[in-house]
Structure formats: structure tokens, C-alpha cells
Amino acid sequence: MKSELLAVLNEAYPEYVSGEKLSILLHCSRTAVWKHIKNLQEEGYQIKAVRNKGYLLESSPSLYSGHAVASRLIKGNLPYQIRFYPELLSTQNEAQRLAMEGAEEGTVVIADKQTKGRGRLGREWESSMGTGLAVSLILKPDVPAYKAPQLTLVAAVSVVKAIEQITGVKAEIKWPNDLLIEGKKVCGILTEMQADPDRIKSVIVGIGLNVNETVFPEHLHHIAASLSGFADSPPERAQLAAAVLNQFAEDYELYKQSGFAGVKAEWESYSCTLGRKIQVRQNGSYINGTAEAVDSQGVLKLRDKDGILHSIVSGDIEIS
Ligand code: BTX
């Protein structure tokens, strides 16, 4: 009965279905329909009941849709507009296309399945199974182009906080763009920019988060993990996506007011990089040393064995 009821409401969305129609379709009384609706609401399904209209399924614990995300957003400083796609090659590409067409700041591209996700430097991001988050967010910050990479650090802070809010699991930030749990990568962030020589046209922050994956391709077995491996129950993607966006709206506001310095202390508290021996790979060469600090611009300060302090603006790091 429950799944039949849900199927009818799902099918009808965004229209209401009257109690009378439901009682005919499900061969039961209107009181029985009402009782089933009440049970579903107690299980976490958001079903709106309006006199003379009937019932509307707004979101369900397992439903992943633009509406399920949008209905959980808190009205804040960033006016989000959700563009949800059942399948995309890359949310990043779609966001770039929309930005070029003039999409507003706060436009968010979400794909249920992403079949050709990208990481940095043309690397692949595996997320084709429809179990993770693939989200790209269009921003138009009024900052010089060299500051755009700071948004990776801001987003990392937001995602760590959102993960903890929804699952209770603590992730750590590996500079500049990875989130790790027990040393395994659960999230990657890719920040790309469209700019004129003198100003940023848009920055696209892409977030790939492993949520309910149970298998990864062989080459990722030792490095990747998903949240479900650490959480008590399988996290719901719509809830997570909304938490990430709500949190980011707050942190982005701080960033706009005070720059990276506004979120630096939080970044440091979640970092698994600072104080550790690391190796940085930059343009094919390596620097070894201790990650001493990030400065107010988000630049990593690495002290090598000769005591020389290096400023690392970008690159890949290995923690030893
Ligand atoms: P990155 O270049 O730092 O990391 C890419 C590397 O991470 C890969 O070479 C591989 O070793 C590893 N990797 C690939 N897939 C996964 C995975 N699912 N879990 C853990 N490790 C993995 C990281 O780049 C930035 C990734 C951003 C992805 C988002 S998804 C939404 C948006 N759309 C899009 O095409 N990219 C972004």
C-alpha cells in the first residue's frame, strides 16, 4: 500500500492528488488513505495536505530531485537556483555553459548521475553510479582572479561542516582540495574560473562527494571511501546537498566580508595537513618539508630541511 501510494504521488508531482482519487486507486477508504499519509509523514516523507486539493509529495527520505534539495534550502544571502539533471557528463561543463549564457550567481547544477566527471589537470572523477553528490555552483565574487582558488578552501570548510551536521562523521581537509576520512578520500573540489584580463566573470566550484558508493574502480580501492562506510545509516543525498549549500552560503558571506581570513581559523581546525611532513609536486618537481601554516590568502607555507620557507600556491601534496 505504502509504495503504491508513493508511486501515485510521485507520478502526479508537482500536482496534488485528491483523497478521493487515492481511495479509488488504492481501493480503500479516505480515512485509510489519511492514516497511511500520516505514517509516511512520520517516516520522514514531506507530504503536504491541503483542503479541497489533496496531497502533494514534497520530498521523501530517499528521493533525490531538484525539489528535494530546494525544499531544504534556508533562504539566505545566496539566492540559489537549482538545476537538477538525471544524468550529465559533467556538472562542471554544464555550469560553464550556463555561466557563459549569463546564469546568475547562485545557480547550482546537480546531476543524479555524472558519467564523465573531471578533477584537476584533466584527471577523472569517478561518480557514475548515481550514489554520490556531483554539484557545481556558479559564483561571481568581486575579487581579483588570483584569489579564486581560495574558494576551494572555503568550500572545503563548508562541506566538512555539512558532513558532520548530517552524518555526525568528522572529515579532514587535505590542502588544497581533498576531504579525507581515516586517510581515504571522500570528496574532491574543483574550482575553475572564467575571467577577462582585469576581472572574474564567474567562478565554478565543483564538489564531488562519495555518499553511498559500495564499490570503486580497482585503481581507487586504496584511496577512496564513501560516507556510508562511516555513518550509522546511509546518508540521504538531498539532505547532504542542501546542507552543503546552506553552509556554503554562510561561509561565502564571511569570505566576501573578510576574505579567506574569515574562515581561516575553521580551516585550520579541520586540516590534516598542518604540522605534517609533506611532499609537494609542482610542475614535475618535488619539495619536501613540514607544512607549517596557511596564510591569510590560503597559501601553504612549507619549511624544507634547510629551513627555507616555500609558499605553495597550487599543487598536489602527499602526506607522509
Ligand atoms: P583531483 O584532481 O584532486 O583528484 C582526482 C583524483 O582523485 C583522480 O586522479 C583519482 O586518483 C581520485 N579519484 C577519482 N575519483 C574519485 C572518487 N570518486 N573518490 C575518491 N578519489 C577519486 C578532485 O580532483 C576534484 C574533483 C571534483 C569533482 C566534481 S564532481 C562535480 C563537478 N563536476 C565535475 O566534472 N567535477 C566536479
Side-chain angles (χ1 to χ4, degrees):
M1 172 68 82
K2 181 176 123 185
S3 51
E4 284 168 304
L5 179 51
L6 284 172
V8 176
L9 292 174
N10 246 330
E11 177 86 359
Y13 179 85
E15 303 294 332
Y16 284 78
V17 186
S18 71
E20 188 184 351
K21 188 170 174 190
L22 285 170
S23 73
I24 294 167
L25 288 172
L26 304 173
H27 310 291
C28 64
S29 68
R30 289 180 65 170
T31 314
V33 167
W34 179 78
K35 278 190 182 150
H36 287 301
I37 296 275
K38 232 176 135 226
N39 287 341
L40 286 168
Q41 284 170 332
E42 278 162 14
E43 285 176 35
Y45 291 85
Q46 289 178 17
I47 301 172
K48 200 168 170 183
V50 173
R51 196 182 286 273
N52 296 331
K53 277 174 119 178
Y55 301 101
L56 173 72
L57 177 62
E58 292 191 308
S59 72
S60 69
S62 57
L63 193 72
Y64 193 39
S65 66
H67 183 73
V69 178
S71 63
R72 292 176 162 93
L73 292 177
I74 298 163
K75 284 213 174 8
N77 303 311
L78 205 44
Y80 284 125
Q81 284 182 37
I82 307 292
R83 305 269 197 136
F84 189 93
Y85 301 73
E87 188 170 324
L88 279 178
L89 290 172
S90 158
T91 55
Q92 207 69 359
N93 293 355
E94 179 62 5
Q96 274 174 356
R97 192 187 68 74
L98 292 170
M100 267 152 55
E101 283 179 358
E104 301 283 321
E105 170 160 88
T107 303
V108 182
V109 175
I110 302 180
D112 183 3
K113 290 186 189 156
Q114 179 175 251
T115 52
K116 211 171 182 329
R118 306 190 264 112
R120 291 176 302 156
L121 308 169
R123 292 187 283 233
E124 284 180 11
W125 182 258
E126 302 282 348
S127 58
S128 58
M129 290 180 292
T131 45
L133 286 196
V135 174
S136 293
L137 171 54
I138 300 177
L139 301 171
K140 306 203 169 178
D142 185 15
V143 294
Y146 77 89
K147 290 192 172 180
Q150 295 170 351
L151 287 162
T152 298
L153 311 185
V154 178
V157 167
S158 308
V159 180
V160 171
K161 289 194 278 189
I163 290 173
E164 192 169 1
Q165 276 161 26
I166 302 301
T167 66
V169 174
K170 289 184 196 302
E172 295 178 305
I173 305 173
K174 179 180 161 211
W175 188 92
N177 70 325
D178 290 342
L179 300 190
L180 310 182
I181 300 177
E182 295 181 11
K184 297 231 172 135
K185 184 157 160 176
V186 292
C187 175
I189 299 169
L190 173 68
T191 297
E192 296 177 314
M193 181 177 54
Q194 299 172 327
D196 285 337
D198 57 337
R199 65 172 193 110
I200 288 180
K201 288 205 276 196
S202 60
V203 175
I204 296 166
V205 177
I207 299 166
L209 179 61
N210 304 326
V211 182
N212 286 313
E213 290 76 1
T214 47
V215 276
F216 286 97
E218 211 177 317
H219 67 283
L220 296 179
H221 279 177
H222 297 296
I223 60 168
S226 68
L227 290 183
S228 59
F230 306 95
D232 291 338
S233 53
E236 191 204 328
R237 287 188 294 163
Q239 221 184 355
L240 263 172
V244 166
L245 294 173
N246 286 330
Q247 195 54 62
F248 183 79
E250 264 184 39
D251 297 327
Y252 184 56
E253 190 56 28
L254 263 180
Y255 175 75
K256 285 199 292 188
Q257 284 164 17
S258 322
F260 175 66
V263 295
K264 181 171 174 286
E266 271 192 304
W267 189 93
E268 287 166 344
S269 73
Y270 297 128
S271 159
C272 63
T273 312
L274 299 182
R276 306 281 296 272
K277 293 251 183 276
I278 61 167
Q279 181 177 63
V280 180
R281 195 177 63 212
Q282 260 186 334
N283 311 322
S285 64
Y286 294 90
I287 315 174
N288 290 289
T290 304
E292 210 167 82
V294 279
D295 70 10
S296 61
Q297 300 299 318
V299 173
L300 184 66
K301 301 289 184 178
L302 177 146
R303 193 167 302 272
D304 70 18
K305 64 177 181 357
D306 301 318
I308 297 168
L309 197 61
H310 300 260
S311 293
I312 314 295
V313 175
S314 66
D316 280 318
I317 66 167
E318 289 294 330
I319 301 178
S320 45

